[in-house]
């Protein structure tokens, strides 16, 4: 009888305690957070897409313009001299760009638009030349300037880098394709002709400005220096469709100028850009 009474008292006490407790953890004096609790934006140490969906970035960029292969266009020759293939080579140049972006909240997606400007010096132009259908030596040398203004649109993905990134305020990676248009202005002068006969030879030049369709891809790493500012280190590649750089112009040793050679056309141009700058989130 005594044992039955004691069990009843304990059962009643336990029921009363459970009635006031929120959970078994509270009943036992434990405070264990739920394993499924999602991280908050503050856990990353930097601005999230939900609190700061917009960003603007400014970068200063070393620019490498790839060798452009020119192609023949005999149908444009009007003065009897024509190119036979050719290559335009550029020196390493420099550029700058500004990027405006929108990080779509509650997703890994973003949209951005960038506008830039770059300059490369012309290293050389090399090609064969025919006069009246007969091979007449090679063109080589030359100097000049190559300017580009890329206007590029990018849809892409961004991810926080793994491992917590305890230094600074976290980091992220952003990657995506690019598509848009590029304004190009190329001028090449003082191209020399090397002919078997020797003697005084004419010089050649060409140049033009135009727009071309562009496509490519990019990847950026961003290291947050504060909650809303990051250091940008990235790489961008873009290529263009076929580009027309104007007619080849011949200047004789006596200064007479003859315009009407081949149109100097490149199959495409390739540009490699190393991006370094700052991003600001708001």
């Amino acid at each position: 009888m005594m044992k039955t009474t004691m069990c009843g008292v304990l059962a009643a006490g336990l029921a009363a305690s459970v009635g006031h407790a929120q959970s078994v953890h509270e009943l036992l004096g434990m405070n264990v957070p739920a394993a499924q609790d999602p991280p908050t934006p503050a856990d990353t140490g930097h601005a999230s897409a939900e609190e700061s969906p917009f960003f603007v970035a400014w970068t200063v960029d070393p620019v490498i313009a790839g060798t452009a292969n020119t192609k023949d266009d005999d149908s444009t020759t009007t003065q009897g001299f024509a190119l036979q293939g050719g290559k335009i080579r550029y020196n390493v140049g420099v550029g700058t760009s500004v990027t405006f972006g929108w990080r779509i909240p509650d997703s890994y997606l973003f949209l951005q638009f960038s506008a830039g400007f770059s300059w490369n010096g012309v290293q050389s132009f090399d090609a064969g030349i025919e006069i009246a259908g007969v091979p007449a030596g090679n063109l080589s040398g030359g100097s000049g300037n190559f300017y580009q203004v890329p206007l590029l649109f990018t849809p892409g993905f961004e991810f926080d880098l793994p491992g917590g990134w305890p230094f600074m305020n976290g980091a992220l990676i952003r990657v995506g394709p690019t598509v848009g248009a590029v304004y190009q202005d190329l001028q090449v002068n003082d191209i020399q002709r090397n002919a078997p006969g020797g003697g005084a030879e004419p010089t050649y030049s060409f140049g033009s400005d135009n727009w071309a369709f562009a496509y490519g891809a990019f990847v950026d790493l961003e290291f947050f220096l504060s909650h809303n500012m990051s250091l940008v280190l990235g790489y961008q590649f873009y290529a263009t469709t076929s580009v027309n750089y104007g007619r080849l112009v011949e200047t004789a040793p006596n200064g007479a100028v003859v315009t009407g050679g081949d149109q100097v056309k490149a199959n495409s141009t390739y540009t490699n850009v190393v991006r370094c700058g700052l991003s600001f989130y708001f």
Side-chain angles (χ1 to χ4, degrees):
M1 185 67 178
M2 178 71 69
K3 184 181 296 186
T4 303
T5 303
M6 290 296 294
C7 290
V9 171
L10 289 173
L14 180 61
S17 299
V18 171
H20 291 287
Q22 297 287 326
S23 65
V24 176
H25 293 142
E26 291 186 15
L27 179 64
L28 300 177
M30 299 172 63
N31 184 17
V32 180
Q36 291 80 18
D37 287 347
T40 63
D43 293 335
T44 63
H46 60 78
S48 68
E50 288 71 32
E51 61 177 311
S52 300
F54 301 103
F55 64 91
V56 59
W58 174 71
T59 62
V60 176
D61 316 318
V63 178
I64 302 173
T67 299
N69 295 314
T70 59
K71 58 183 179 181
D72 302 335
D73 190 5
D74 293 335
S75 62
T76 66
T77 301
T78 61
Q79 296 292 339
F81 55 94
L83 288 175
Q84 297 299 304
K87 294 181 181 293
I88 309 171
R89 295 180 173 85
Y90 303 99
N91 296 314
V92 176
V94 67
T96 186
S97 66
V98 177
T99 300
F100 302 92
W102 175 45
R103 309 158 75 196
I104 301 175
D106 300 315
S107 75
Y108 296 104
L109 304 176
F110 72 92
L111 303 174
Q112 73 177 31
F113 171 80
S114 64
F117 172 82
S118 68
W119 166 84
N120 293 87
V122 175
Q123 185 181 90
S124 67
F125 174 71
D126 300 283
I129 189 170
E130 288 184 351
I131 297 178
V134 178
N138 299 303
L139 301 181
S140 63
S143 61
N145 297 292
F146 181 43
Y147 301 100
Q148 295 189 91
V149 179
L151 304 175
L152 302 174
F153 172 74
T154 298
F157 300 91
E158 71 169 39
F159 306 96
D160 284 324
L161 293 179
W165 291 90
F167 55 89
M168 300 183 186
N169 287 271
L172 60 80
I173 184 171
R174 190 172 285 135
V175 61
T178 58
V179 65
V182 178
Y183 171 78
Q184 296 182 334
D185 186 345
L186 173 66
Q187 186 67 44
V188 184
N189 303 304
D190 301 322
I191 304 168
Q192 306 297 313
R193 190 176 87 184
N194 304 310
E201 296 289 345
T203 60
Y204 296 83
S205 63
F206 62 89
S208 179
D209 61 304
N210 51 74
W211 287 91
F213 175 74
Y215 56 92
F218 91 106
V219 58
D220 276 351
L221 294 175
E222 296 201 13
F223 302 94
F224 281 82
L225 307 176
S226 67
H227 192 69
N228 291 88
M229 183 177 71
S230 68
L231 171 68
V232 180
L233 297 175
Y235 168 76
Q236 184 172 51
F237 166 83
Y238 59 87
T240 69
T241 51
S242 180
V243 181
N244 186 340
Y245 290 130
R247 290 187 182 278
L248 190 66
V249 177
E250 180 183 273
T251 302
N254 63 4
V257 176
V258 178
T259 301
D262 269 354
Q263 294 275 5
V264 181
K265 289 190 174 182
N267 293 321
S268 60
T269 59
Y270 303 94
T271 303
N272 300 275
V273 180
V274 179
R275 293 158 49 84
C276 181
L278 296 172
S279 281
F280 302 90
Y281 290 81
F282 56 95

